[in-house]
Amino acid sequence: MFTFSCPVSFSITCSSSNGNIQNHGDYRVNINVNGSSCTRRPIKHHTLLNEVDVKEGSTSLSAIQFLENGHISEEKIRQRIPRQKQLVDPYRQGLITERGVGYRQTVVVRSYEVGPDKTATLESLLNLFQETALNHMWMSGLLSNGFGATHGMMRNNLIWVVSRMHVQVDHYPIWGEVIEIDTWVGASGKNGMRRDWVIRSQASGSTYARATSTWVMMNEQTRRLSKMPDEVRDEISPWFIRKQAINEAVPDKIVKLDDKAKHVNSDLKPKRSDLDMNQHVNNVKYVRWMLETIPDKFLERHQLSSIILEYRRECGSSEVVQSLCQPDEDESFANGVQQNLLTNKVLVGGNGRLGSLDINVLTYGYTHLLQTQNEEIVRGRTRWNRKICTGL
């Protein structure tokens, strides 16, 4: 197990791991990164905190990072969140791009990120989007103790919440494949932030997927949306890029479903493992609830090509959720065209080549809604393409 111990001397009120306050005084504290309890002994001479450095290999961490409200924070020691901008992260295989403001991370698709067909699931892609976004914040030096929150946000008791997300998938990465994920941020109105992603194959450079999202700020205590404070805007605006992974001039609105929806899954209850660090249900869980409402036969024969999510409110751990979905009205028409193609009754362009057919003919759609008894949580829109074997 990796361990280092370093003596740090300063005047401080020490706190044990169980939260009990110890007595005051000048102490020499031995900090162990492996999580073992820290030891202390009184010292006679006070050492200025900003004169103390903690070294681990070639990495120098200022002891100022280890203080929080007069206490040593073991969490900060273990996370090693930088206070200044980093250009390369060897641990996460990440680096800063786009002239110093974008971020790229190299990832290997792991066995638990793929489904039965050995391709990455949509949930895995969404988790990778979330992880690379947080790692981008980590590299910027702006990350504080919150879930992607900056130092200014923490001072104003603010957290990020996603209001909209649009994902398009052309190809799903396969198990063991090496992919590169680029992410960057931009302005979204006066009080929002846009974050985009692009996933590419490292081997071929082909674009596999792209996504765009809109984020707003919420007061962590009141759970109400908030304007962006000037100090937060000053923090993040230097990182903004005028580039979009998906061009959405006028985003389509998603209609609200009612109790006449064709497929309904009721009595969905969040588990403790579904909650994120902001104490509400993680947005990836919403997608799982939506997709599980679609009939299994459809899921076996089709692959998701795009999803749009419009978030209305957060979902707490004690709420009961209902998932509704409704297929497009022209589903039967599209199904008939595809069936004819698969049985060779229709020859496209006279040569039987599938590639010459407008892809829209082969696309299915579903409208989704997650709601509690009285309020909407998220509306969704999914598009699907028929899984066609390579032999065809």
Side-chain angles (χ1 to χ4, degrees):
M1 177 181 293
F2 168 74
T3 305
F4 80 90
S5 177
C6 52
V8 181
S9 306
F10 45 83
S11 179
I12 193 171
T13 301
C14 289
S15 174
S16 64
S17 60
N18 60 11
N20 296 328
I21 303 299
Q22 308 295 325
N23 53 349
H24 298 256
D26 290 336
Y27 294 99
R28 179 174 298 275
V29 181
N30 291 320
I31 301 172
N32 294 313
V33 166
N34 65 352
S36 59
S37 59
C38 60
T39 60
R40 56 187 174 87
R41 68 176 185 270
I43 60 175
K44 296 180 179 180
H45 303 289
H46 176 73
T47 303
L48 292 178
L49 184 60
N50 58 8
E51 295 177 353
V52 181
D53 282 335
V54 180
K55 292 184 180 291
E56 179 266 308
S58 61
T59 303
S60 178
L61 302 176
S62 172
I64 192 73
Q65 297 179 37
F66 301 156
L67 280 181
E68 185 175 359
N69 299 325
H71 293 75
I72 296 177
S73 173
E74 180 185 339
E75 181 178 283
K76 286 186 179 295
I77 300 170
R78 296 170 64 182
Q79 288 179 316
R80 308 194 325 163
I81 299 176
R83 302 282 294 190
Q84 296 180 342
K85 179 180 177 180
Q86 309 292 306
L87 297 179
V88 178
D89 181 4
Y91 300 103
R92 299 174 178 84
Q93 295 295 306
L95 69 154
I96 292 296
T97 61
E98 296 284 353
R99 298 182 179 181
V101 292
Y103 177 72
R104 174 176 296 167
Q105 185 169 338
T106 303
V107 177
V108 179
V109 179
R110 301 176 182 179
S111 59
Y112 54 81
E113 295 174 323
V114 302
D117 57 358
K118 297 183 180 180
T119 63
T121 64
L122 177 64
E123 291 180 46
S124 295
L125 298 185
L126 294 175
N127 282 325
L128 288 173
F129 290 154
Q130 178 175 283
E131 184 67 15
T132 50
L134 290 173
N135 292 342
H136 185 199
M137 290 295 296
W138 189 94
M139 294 279 284
S140 71
L142 299 176
L143 184 64
S144 186
N145 198 34
F147 194 31
T150 67
H151 303 290
M153 292 175 64
M154 293 296 291
R155 286 190 289 269
N156 288 272
N157 202 31
L158 298 174
I159 59 176
W160 287 114
V161 290
V162 60
S163 62
R164 191 175 190 276
M165 177 169 282
H166 184 183
V167 181
Q168 294 178 349
V169 184
D170 296 327
H171 303 281
Y172 284 84
I174 62 175
W175 173 40
E177 185 171 9
V178 181
I179 57 176
E180 294 177 342
I181 306 176
D182 285 2
T183 185
W184 63 92
V185 293
S188 178
K190 294 182 179 180
N191 296 299
M193 182 182 76
R194 192 195 72 251
R195 177 172 286 279
D196 290 20
W197 297 265
V198 171
I199 297 180
R200 295 185 181 90
S201 164
Q202 188 189 59
S204 67
S206 301
T207 298
Y208 281 177
R210 62 193 66 82
T212 186
S213 60
T214 305
W215 298 76
V216 293
M217 295 183 184
M218 183 175 73
N219 187 287
E220 189 173 17
Q221 291 183 341
T222 65
R223 315 308 283 187
R224 293 180 179 273
L225 297 183
S226 171
K227 293 183 178 179
M228 184 183 295
D230 290 338
E231 66 170 317
V232 176
R233 183 175 288 104
D234 292 341
E235 285 179 316
I236 64 177
S237 59
W239 293 83
F240 286 173
I241 301 176
R242 291 187 177 180
K243 184 176 76 169
Q244 294 183 341
I246 301 176
N247 293 322
E248 293 182 311
V250 181
D252 295 333
K253 293 294 183 180
I254 303 175
V255 298
K256 180 182 179 180
L257 297 180
D258 53 28
D259 54 4
K260 297 179 181 179
K262 186 173 182 179
H263 307 292
V264 179
N265 189 3
S266 301
D267 201 32
L268 298 169
K269 298 179 181 179
K271 300 176 182 178
R272 182 177 295 274
S273 59
D274 297 329
L275 304 182
D276 60 23
M277 288 183 276
N278 287 331
Q279 301 302 311
H280 57 214
V281 176
N282 189 278
N283 63 82
V284 178
K285 180 63 178 181
Y286 295 151
V287 174
R288 183 184 303 175
W289 282 339
M290 285 182 174
L291 300 188
E292 287 178 349
T293 310
I294 298 176
D296 289 340
K297 283 188 176 181
F298 182 89
L299 295 177
E300 291 172 0
R301 299 176 181 177
H302 300 82
Q303 195 168 49
L304 185 141
S305 59
S306 74
I307 182 170
I308 300 175
L309 300 167
E310 294 179 356
Y311 297 89
R312 304 289 171 164
R313 62 180 290 271
E314 63 178 341
C315 177
S317 59
S318 61
E319 297 186 275
V320 179
V321 179
Q322 183 183 53
S323 176
L324 302 87
C325 76
Q326 177 67 35
D328 284 352
E329 294 180 358
D330 59 349
E331 178 185 17
S332 59
F333 170 75
N335 185 55
V337 172
Q338 281 202 332
Q339 186 61 39
N340 286 335
L341 281 170
L342 294 174
T343 55
N344 294 322
K345 291 182 180 179
V346 174
L347 297 180
V348 182
N351 55 18
R353 290 185 299 179
L354 188 62
S356 59
L357 180 67
D358 185 354
I359 191 64
N360 290 325
V361 178
L362 299 175
T363 300
Y364 299 81
Y366 274 88
T367 301
H368 305 263
L369 174 65
L370 295 181
Q371 64 181 7
T372 61
Q373 185 175 1
N374 301 315
E375 295 183 270
E376 293 181 74
I377 299 175
V378 57
R379 296 183 188 183
R381 177 77 180 151
T382 56
R383 293 287 184 181
W384 303 78
N385 292 331
R386 181 92 180 204
K387 291 182 180 178
I388 300 177
C389 63
T390 56
L392 182 62

